[in-house]
Amino acid sequence: MSAAPRETIVVVGLGMVGIAFIEKVLDLDTDHRYRIVTCGEETHLAYNRVALTEYFQHRNIEKLYLNSPEWYQEQDPERFSFFTGEAVVSLDTETRTVTTDSGRTIAYDHCVLAIGSDASLPSYADLSVPGVFVYRNISDVNKLLVWADKEEMGGCSAVVIGGGLLGLEAAKAVYDLPSVKDVTIIHRQACPLSRQLDAQGGEIVLRRIESMGVTFLGSTTVQSIHTDDRGVLVGLELADGTTLKCGIVVFAIGITPRDNLARKAGLACSTRGGIVVDDHLQTSVKDVYAIGECASWKDNTYGLIAPGIEMADILAFNFTQARTRVGSFKLRQMNNPDLSTKLKLMGVDVASFGDYFAERRVRSITPSGRTANESTLAQDPAAGLVKEAHKPHDASSPKKRHGAAAAAAAEGPVEAVTYRDPFGGVYKKYIFSADGKYLLGGMMVGDASEYAKLVAMVKKKKALDVPPSQFIIGSRTGHDDSGADLDDDAQICSCHNVSKGRIVQCIKDGAQNIADIKKKTKAGSGCGGCVPLLTSIVKAELKKAGVAVSNHLCPHFALSRADLFNVVKVKKLKTMPDIMEAVGTNPSAIGCEICKPAIGSILSSLWNEHVMDPVHHSNQDTNDRFLGNIQRNGTFSVVPRVPAGEITPEKLIVLGQVAKKYGLYTKITGGQRIDLFGAEKADLPSIWKELVDAGFESGHAYGKALRTVKSCVGTSWCRYGIGDSVSMAVQLEERYKGIRSPHKFKGGVSGCVRECAEAQGKDFGLIATDKGWNIFVCGNGGANPRHATLLAADVPPSRVIRVMDRFIMYYIRTADKLMRTARWLESMEGGIEKLRSVILDDQLGICADLERDMDELVGTYYDEWKAVLDDQERQRKFRQFVNTDERVPQAEKIVERGQSRPADWTKEASPLVFSETDVGSPKDLWKWRKVATVHDLTPTDGGTTSAAVRYGDSQIAIYHIPNKGYFATQQMCPHRRAFVLDHGIIGDEPSTGSLYISCPMHKRNYDLVSGKCLNDDSYGIMAFDVRTDGDDLLLLLPEQVELDAVIGTSKWMVRQATQQILSAAPDATVEIVGPTETTTVASEGKVCDGASCSGPHFDW
């Protein structure tokens, strides 16, 4: 099947916003669905227009390039082609083509207009007049420089019309020209930066301007331009009739969106200028979009770079992520952009953030009859203290609780705290909600060191934990400029939306200077206002160091699990004996209940051979050994996989039929699937067959593996849904199903921030935002719950799988045995920052390896249940007894709420030690009796095997250990009277070589020769001699009736108290029926009355 043809996106304009969109599409279009063609009317490649002032110093255009010429050459011409010095002059929406001024016609499937804006000019301005200029692009600057370099211009006066951001930039550039004697700024308002600062802040800037020798004429305008008889500029006439002599005038009074191309094509345009776009940035014509300064959204246009970059982000996301192989995603929409700015203008730091003019918005009469006030903190020069000059709002007054507090605060009355230091040239004004709980915005002049932190606080909309006055008081004391108090998600570079966390990881990845950071993240390559903080972060992070920690797996291996994993991987070891011989402390040892499951997990994570293969079977805990969760009565639970909790009615019916047929207790799990409890081991293959025939697979609820990926219904049904959480969860669960890991791990996917899937309580969780998926990791419930930590924000849907591949495989490689992801992260040197550096920034250079390993592991998947059904030899291992088809119940069942379940255990387990002396006849009267054949145990040189036999009413477990022979013990573990010892792991003591069986219930270890419990003296079991006679297995046993009197099943089965007792005391516990003899623990002389071995009273 051939690939679908690529759709062509024509990008009109190769400016900062245009190239940002192109870069993002090339990066996110992992399926190569698009071909991009762009035309730029300038002869240069895309450059940083915000840094035009720097060009005056070096006059090298390549230093402003956003991407090197080599970057363009390296792009695949099938995906990206470009034309410079070629302007698009017509757009035909009928034929879906654009035509350039060179006559080139390009067909498009989608057209993106990123044509920017022109400098606004008053009616009297004429750019054809020598000496009259604007300040918009390289061409404008070059014309100005050529004119200023003329010999006759030496000692001339220059005038900049406009005192806003662009005007002050232009004024500083002209001020530094050698030929310019003096500079005058003419501004319509009384103070400069009137769109960013209030009058008091503007006054501080004005003082700085005037201290440089620059004249500022405020509250005035220009009437006309004066020229000499050659038509050359000589001066300006002001509104009051006065004349101002000058040889250079630069107009910087604003911008006018370029919409002529759109108007000619019939696209809707705003009466105020700009191409009208909807929330998805589409124009009035389908498949034609506009972004950047040329776009008019809700009748607003934006001259700052940050909103343009945000538009590029949104549109690139919608092109590439709305439809992916991991499901659909709600289209991102344009929201009110962040207009926060931080620049150094005329040598002074100026910043504004959030709703910095909130006072103007709410300056209306309040119920008390007053306007919104500000609490002013004025400096007392004599005392050097800050004192409160006015406090109209009583912060101690009673407050009402409101929902959506942050949103309500942003729309309600406000208060302001200000600090003004005319001597130091510092002005700060922070605006808060009236109750002082939320920071809404502010402005800073002279000291903007806390800009990044305050912007982050406004964006997070979190309630403050300090009083508003502390924002000012704290700023006057020494503070840390290293950025250490900033959260990882704090935005450092607003132009390119670069967070502190990303910068820090680049530093840890080898970045040594700002140039490296700019190359990797583009931080500092916009306005440059963040460069000082970037430098501080670099210096602080280079001081940090880490310490590696390693733990031995167990006494059999002097290696940590992570080291052992790498050894097994590199040496390609495939079995436990091979591993023990290669790196074990004793090459002939068989291992233990600690290292065997850990190595079994490692082997499964690397090679994924079936856990029931003879060479692997003995390494598995009981759950993996029989592919089901063992329950307290020795039965098993069956949990088929239900990806993302999505199930058809037909499959639900099958589950009900199977449960009814086999008498299973059913319960909905927390992971959105159905658990079937009480399955006898011998019935497991039959149950699996009915489920597999209905389309189910193993849910791996028994393994240290992926359990579930829980999901809400997302965009499938929910009116609030943003992301297709069901499709994403299905994709994740289908990809990682069956993968063994150091411990079980679970996932969750929520389609919006309402978080119905509880994703932040999982080992990995995804939450949809309007920009992508927030990925949280290393959370868990259980005994030590931990809230998940944000690993990455706004991850495009097409990138989620690869991020998860890296995370899961890195966890598999490096975590300790039985370590959940939460503890893994907590023990990781460097914590989440380290994890981000490895997973997101590839600090170790292993991300490609992690992805490849995951691809290979995923490719080995098979359904473990079906593999058993296809192999008769594997099915033989599910018999209860190998010497009879008869079955014996392990515990009494009771009915509760319409379903059967096992009788309750006692609250406390009574001590109990069995011995051969408990049998009525001495051992020398016992006889060798055939109980099974060698074939029944399926012995192998690759690992231990075990099986149970029935002898009268007694159950006996027989074990085979390669090179050691056969052993036998009673089947019942006396700790909880569970008949399960043949399911346990056989191990040896590294120091003595003693062999033991580890009970699968609670890991009591019993010596296979003496029966003594090696880790709890309160318990002991009977061990029996074994020998072979040809193919027969013989045990030295007393008569059946004698052995039954000591270890008979009916004697020790857990039973519920009678119905009469239950009625009198609903919480009654168990009755354990033991031997009728007075002494049940002969070796310890403990007496039992025959009714309850835990004592004469019920154990509640």
Side-chain angles (χ1 to χ4, degrees):
M1 179 177 166
S2 60
R6 289 177 177 166
E7 300 177 38
T8 298
I9 303 175
V10 171
V11 181
V12 182
L14 190 55
M16 295 183 73
V17 174
I19 193 64
F21 170 76
I22 292 167
E23 289 176 349
K24 294 174 192 302
V25 172
L26 291 175
D27 182 48
L28 295 176
D29 182 24
T30 54
D31 292 334
H32 295 183
R33 290 159 48 194
Y34 299 108
R35 164 180 172 260
I36 301 175
V37 182
T38 185
C39 299
E41 63 181 285
E42 294 189 73
T43 57
H44 310 292
L45 300 173
Y47 60 87
N48 183 5
R49 184 169 49 78
V50 180
L52 281 179
T53 304
E54 297 175 14
Y55 182 73
F56 277 76
Q57 306 300 320
H58 54 69
R59 304 193 184 188
N60 181 353
I61 181 62
E62 290 198 3
K63 289 187 176 182
L64 299 185
Y65 279 168
L66 295 169
N67 293 296
S68 67
E70 291 74 25
W71 180 86
Y72 292 85
Q73 296 170 5
E74 293 167 358
Q75 301 309 307
D76 181 357
E78 295 296 317
R79 299 187 65 204
F80 175 54
S81 58
F82 63 98
F83 305 98
T84 57
E86 197 166 337
V88 172
V89 295
S90 69
L91 165 64
D92 190 332
T93 59
E94 292 294 328
T95 62
R96 301 170 77 88
T97 59
V98 298
T99 303
T100 69
D101 54 7
S102 67
R104 189 190 310 272
T105 299
I106 307 171
Y108 69 79
D109 295 293
H110 311 276
C111 179
V112 179
L113 302 177
I115 48 184
S117 61
D118 291 321
S120 297
L121 290 172
S123 58
Y124 60 83
D126 185 355
L127 293 181
S128 65
V129 174
V132 178
F133 305 95
V134 293
Y135 194 77
R136 287 296 294 161
N137 55 39
I138 289 293
S139 176
D140 297 331
V141 172
N142 281 334
K143 291 175 183 177
L144 174 57
L145 289 173
V146 170
W147 179 258
D149 287 344
K150 290 179 179 293
E151 186 176 347
E152 63 269 25
M153 295 307 296
C156 73
S157 297
V159 175
V160 175
I161 301 177
L165 294 173
L166 188 60
L168 296 193
E169 285 276 358
K172 180 64 168 64
V174 174
Y175 175 84
D176 290 334
L177 290 175
S179 60
V180 173
K181 179 182 66 174
D182 54 66
V183 176
T184 299
I185 299 173
I186 298 176
H187 190 48
R188 184 184 297 271
Q189 305 299 325
C191 293
L193 300 177
S194 51
R195 291 193 175 184
Q196 285 75 37
L197 302 174
D198 62 10
Q200 294 186 75
E203 183 188 4
I204 296 292
V205 176
L206 174 58
R207 291 189 182 196
R208 173 62 179 173
I209 292 172
E210 292 177 338
S211 70
M212 296 173 62
V214 175
T215 301
F216 183 86
L217 300 178
S219 303
T220 187
T221 59
V222 177
Q223 290 289 88
S224 62
I225 294 175
H226 288 183
T227 60
D228 61 13
D229 53 6
R230 297 173 302 161
V232 177
L233 173 73
V234 294
L236 303 171
E237 182 181 342
L238 304 183
D240 60 3
T242 59
T243 300
L244 185 64
K245 291 183 179 181
C246 61
I248 296 174
V249 62
V250 179
F251 286 93
I253 61 174
I255 61 171
T256 301
R258 302 179 67 185
D259 57 16
N260 287 340
L261 179 65
R263 290 182 186 275
K264 288 194 297 182
L267 275 62
C269 293
S270 172
T271 56
R272 300 171 58 184
I275 306 165
V276 174
V277 296
D278 61 15
D279 288 347
H280 301 125
L281 303 173
Q282 184 168 256
T283 67
S284 57
V285 175
K286 189 177 185 299
D287 293 327
V288 179
Y289 305 83
I291 56 178
E293 295 170 349
C294 68
S296 174
W297 177 70
K298 295 188 176 179
D299 215 24
N300 291 308
T301 56
Y302 303 95
L304 298 174
I305 182 61
I309 298 296
E310 177 69 7
M311 291 180 182
D313 275 338
I314 292 170
L315 193 57
F317 181 95
N318 290 346
F319 268 114
T320 60
Q321 305 301 308
R323 302 185 316 277
T324 68
R325 286 174 289 181
V326 292
S328 62
F329 203 93
K330 185 177 180 180
L331 292 176
R332 283 184 58 183
Q333 295 185 353
M334 184 68 182
N335 295 307
N336 288 323
D338 180 16
L339 301 181
S340 303
T341 56
K342 177 177 178 286
L343 297 168
K344 185 177 283 292
L345 301 168
M346 304 297 288
V348 61
D349 287 320
V350 177
S352 58
F353 62 93
D355 192 357
Y356 47 88
F357 280 144
E359 282 185 301
R360 296 182 182 180
R361 173 177 54 77
V362 299
R363 198 177 295 280
S364 58
I365 301 299
T366 64
S368 62
R370 61 176 178 86
T371 59
N373 292 283
E374 61 181 50
S375 175
T376 304
L377 292 177
Q379 185 182 30
D380 182 343
L385 300 174
V386 172
K387 60 183 181 180
E388 194 168 346
H390 183 55
K391 186 180 179 182
H393 178 74
D394 182 5
S396 65
S397 60
K399 304 174 181 66
K400 294 182 179 179
R401 301 178 64 89
H402 300 280
E411 297 299 324
V414 302
E415 299 285 358
V417 177
T418 64
Y419 168 77
R420 180 176 178 272
D421 177 9
F423 308 103
V426 175
Y427 175 74
K428 297 183 180 183
K429 180 176 184 177
Y430 300 148
I431 302 172
F432 300 87
S433 57
D435 59 7
K437 289 184 177 180
Y438 297 93
L439 176 66
L440 305 179
M443 55 189 72
M444 294 175 276
V445 178
D447 177 12
S449 58
E450 296 182 335
Y451 171 80
K453 180 169 66 175
L454 297 180
V455 170
M457 293 176 67
V458 171
K459 287 185 175 180
K460 288 185 176 181
K461 301 178 180 177
K462 287 186 177 179
L464 305 177
D465 53 7
V466 296
S469 61
Q470 190 144 332
F471 284 78
I472 301 298
I473 297 171
S475 67
R476 298 184 65 230
T477 62
H479 57 267
D480 183 8
D481 291 329
S482 68
D485 57 343
L486 298 178
D487 292 336
D488 283 341
D489 58 355
Q491 186 187 67
I492 305 301
C493 175
S494 59
C495 291
H496 291 281
N497 191 26
V498 182
S499 67
K500 175 197 169 184
R502 188 175 174 197
I503 293 167
V504 170
Q505 298 314 317
C506 286
I507 295 168
K508 292 183 176 181
D509 198 25
Q512 297 294 316
N513 48 49
I514 298 301
D516 293 340
I517 297 294
K518 288 182 178 180
K519 184 176 180 180
K520 288 176 177 277
T521 69
K522 295 191 181 295
S525 64
C527 69
C530 60
V531 171
L533 183 56
L534 275 176
T535 305
S536 297
I537 291 174
V538 170
K539 291 180 180 179
E541 290 302 320
L542 289 177
K543 295 180 181 178
K544 292 184 178 179
V547 179
V549 178
S550 177
N551 295 315
H552 292 173
L553 185 65
C554 76
H556 290 96
F557 294 94
L559 294 169
S560 68
R561 181 196 172 279
D563 290 339
L564 185 59
F565 184 98
N566 290 326
V567 170
V568 174
K569 177 179 171 63
V570 172
K571 291 182 174 289
K572 293 182 169 56
L573 304 175
K574 298 292 183 73
T575 69
M576 178 70 176
D578 290 343
I579 296 171
M580 186 66 76
E581 184 176 358
V583 294
T585 56
N586 179 357
S588 63
I590 64 173
C592 63
E593 73 278 9
I594 297 174
C595 65
K596 277 188 166 186
I599 288 175
S601 172
I602 289 173
L603 293 173
S604 292
S605 297
L606 286 170
W607 322 122
N608 201 26
E609 296 175 352
H610 201 289
V611 294
M612 291 193 70
D613 286 353
V615 75
H616 302 310
H617 203 212
S618 62
N619 300 329
Q620 314 304 320
D621 264 324
T622 301
N623 290 353
D624 283 292
R625 179 173 295 196
F626 296 107
L627 310 183
N629 283 53
I630 192 170
Q631 303 304 317
R632 60 186 178 83
N633 66 339
T635 62
F636 292 80
S637 66
V638 177
V639 188
R641 188 166 299 284
V642 182
E646 186 180 57
I647 189 169
T648 63
E650 290 76 15
K651 285 188 174 181
L652 281 172
I653 291 172
V654 169
L655 291 175
Q657 291 173 335
V658 169
K660 190 172 183 179
K661 178 177 179 180
Y662 293 93
L664 307 179
Y665 173 103
T666 58
K667 190 177 186 301
I668 306 297
T669 74
Q672 297 180 329
R673 49 189 186 179
I674 297 175
D675 206 337
L676 310 176
F677 289 88
E680 295 182 18
K681 183 176 72 170
D683 285 333
L684 288 176
S686 300
I687 293 171
W688 295 341
K689 185 176 189 316
E690 296 195 37
L691 295 176
V692 169
D693 287 347
F696 286 105
E697 294 178 319
S698 165
H700 291 91
Y702 47 82
K704 298 295 185 280
L706 175 73
R707 296 294 177 86
T708 65
V709 182
K710 188 176 181 179
S711 79
C712 66
V713 294
T715 53
S716 300
W717 287 96
C718 182
R719 67 187 185 279
Y720 299 114
I722 296 175
D724 187 352
S725 52
V726 178
S727 293
M728 177 62 79
V730 168
Q731 288 281 340
L732 291 171
E733 187 160 344
E734 289 288 353
R735 180 166 181 79
Y736 304 123
K737 63 184 180 183
I739 289 178
R740 296 304 205 283
S741 56
H743 209 298
K744 65 183 177 183
F745 65 106
K746 305 174 183 180
V749 183
S750 289
C752 73
V753 295
R754 286 169 175 80
E755 246 284 68
C756 295
E758 301 166 331
Q760 294 177 83
K762 308 297 183 187
D763 296 277
F764 66 86
L766 276 62
I767 301 176
T769 72
D770 61 349
K771 297 180 180 179
W773 294 99
N774 283 352
I775 299 180
F776 293 84
V777 295
C778 302
N780 67 257
N784 295 295
R786 183 185 188 277
H787 196 280
T789 302
L790 181 67
L791 174 68
D794 302 329
V795 178
S798 62
R799 293 289 174 81
V800 168
I801 294 295
R802 280 314 185 192
V803 173
M804 293 309 310
D805 283 355
R806 297 174 182 182
F807 166 72
I808 295 172
M809 187 52 71
Y810 190 56
Y811 166 61
I812 290 173
R813 281 190 179 189
T814 62
D816 202 357
K817 60 184 181 296
L818 298 179
M819 179 179 277
R820 290 293 298 269
T821 58
R823 308 289 87 80
W824 172 61
L825 180 62
E826 290 170 355
S827 65
M828 185 181 298
E829 188 70 29
I832 190 63
E833 292 183 2
K834 172 67 174 180
L835 188 60
R836 289 191 186 114
S837 72
V838 174
I839 303 303
L840 304 180
D841 301 314
D842 200 13
Q843 181 190 52
L844 302 180
I846 61 172
C847 284
D849 296 332
L850 297 175
E851 293 174 6
R852 182 181 62 253
D853 288 352
M854 183 59 76
D855 285 340
E856 292 176 355
L857 185 56
V858 167
T860 64
Y861 174 78
Y862 53 88
D863 179 17
E864 291 177 343
W865 286 353
K866 189 174 187 306
V868 171
L869 300 179
D870 294 338
D871 188 328
Q872 287 295 324
E873 190 61 30
R874 288 174 178 159
Q875 292 181 43
R876 292 181 66 248
K877 298 178 180 179
F878 288 86
R879 294 172 294 173
Q880 184 179 10
F881 305 114
V882 295
N883 63 339
T884 178
D885 290 331
E886 295 181 6
R887 300 186 191 179
V888 175
Q890 308 292 299
E892 184 185 33
K893 289 184 179 180
I894 64 170
V895 175
E896 186 175 64
R897 293 182 295 276
Q899 297 197 85
S900 63
R901 67 168 181 85
D904 294 323
W905 270 346
T906 56
K907 191 179 230 180
E908 299 291 338
S910 302
L912 184 58
V913 176
F914 288 92
S915 169
E916 61 187 38
T917 59
D918 296 334
V919 180
S921 62
K923 190 173 181 179
D924 57 7
L925 296 180
W926 296 6
K927 296 180 180 179
W928 289 101
R929 306 175 193 273
K930 176 185 175 181
V931 293
T933 65
V934 169
H935 178 65
D936 288 330
L937 261 74
T938 60
T940 172
D941 292 335
T944 62
T945 60
S946 56
V949 297
R950 184 181 180 188
Y951 178 68
D953 191 37
S954 300
Q955 300 184 40
I956 300 174
I958 306 176
Y959 318 93
H960 175 260
I961 303 173
N963 304 316
K964 306 286 185 180
Y966 292 89
F967 300 82
T969 69
Q970 66 184 60
Q971 170 74 332
M972 186 190 76
C973 173
H975 173 238
R976 281 298 184 182
R977 284 65 165 173
F979 297 85
V980 294
L981 289 183
D982 74 317
H983 301 346
I985 288 178
I986 301 171
D988 59 6
E989 286 281 352
S991 56
T992 63
S994 298
L995 301 171
Y996 63 83
I997 181 67
S998 181
C999 175
M1001 288 294 184
H1002 301 105
K1003 302 302 180 188
R1004 262 58 178 189
N1005 297 342
Y1006 300 99
D1007 188 285
L1008 289 179
V1009 177
S1010 67
K1012 179 181 179 181
C1013 185
L1014 302 177
N1015 51 6
D1016 190 340
D1017 292 338
S1018 299
Y1019 303 98
I1021 61 175
M1022 292 182 64
F1024 304 98
D1025 297 338
V1026 189
R1027 76 179 188 189
T1028 59
D1029 183 5
D1031 189 44
D1032 295 336
L1033 283 175
L1034 284 73
L1035 270 63
L1036 185 61
L1037 297 171
E1039 295 296 331
Q1040 288 184 3
V1041 65
E1042 292 182 307
L1043 190 60
D1044 290 346
V1046 180
I1047 63 171
T1049 303
S1050 60
K1051 299 293 184 183
W1052 293 103
M1053 179 190 295
V1054 176
R1055 304 177 190 272
Q1056 192 75 2
T1058 63
Q1059 184 61 40
Q1060 290 81 1
I1061 298 176
L1062 280 175
S1063 299
D1067 294 329
T1069 180
V1070 303
E1071 174 189 6
I1072 297 178
V1073 180
T1076 56
E1077 291 81 5
T1078 301
T1079 303
T1080 62
V1081 190
S1083 61
E1084 297 188 12
K1086 297 190 178 181
V1087 179
C1088 176
D1089 66 359
S1092 174
C1093 292
S1094 60
H1097 305 291
F1098 286 107
D1099 187 1
W1100 302 107

